[in-house]
Structure formats: structure tokens, C-alpha cells
Amino acid sequence: MNVRTASKAIAIGVLAVAASGCSSWDSMSSRQKSTVTGAGLGGVAGAVITNGGVLGTVGGAAIGGVIGDQIGKNR
């Protein structure tokens, strides 16, 4: 398995985890929804910026989650 294929698989995994968190979307607070959304968007953005790099995908998801959490705190 080459790096490009592994990176795509990890990006899909991050999105799957983010989407599975949405299964209980109705019972989530605004802050939690913002965190999940931020992590999903951050993971995709990190993957795009680093051309599917694993570190970029995971880092983007982490940073996006933190930003989403802080934005959701103010709502």
C-alpha cells in the first residue's frame, strides 16, 4: 500500500468517524455540533493542503475540532 492510498483511507476514516458522531446529532449541544463539523472540515482541508498526507489530515482534524469548539462556545 503506497502513501497516497493510505492517506485517502485515513481521510475516509476521519470522515466516517465524524459522520458517526452525527448519528446522535439531535441530542448534541451547539458546541458539540461545531466541534464535529470543524474536525470534519479540518481533516478534509488538511488532506487537500498536504496532498493526502497523514499528518496533515490528522492535524487538520485536530485544529478544526478545536476551532469549532471555540466557535460553538460563543453561540
Side-chain angles (χ1 to χ4, degrees):
M1 179 183 275
N2 62 21
V3 174
R4 189 176 209 83
T5 304
S7 298
K8 287 180 184 178
I10 289 173
I12 290 170
V14 168
L15 290 175
V17 169
S20 68
C22 296
S23 63
S24 61
W25 191 262
D26 293 335
S27 63
M28 294 174 79
S29 69
S30 175
R31 189 172 185 176
Q32 291 170 327
K33 289 178 185 178
S34 295
T35 302
V36 170
T37 303
L41 292 174
V44 171
V48 169
I49 290 170
T50 61
N51 291 325
V54 176
L55 187 60
T57 303
V58 173
I63 292 169
V66 170
I67 292 171
D69 179 62
Q70 294 304 307
I71 290 172
K73 180 170 67 172
N74 298 327
R75 286 187 180 181

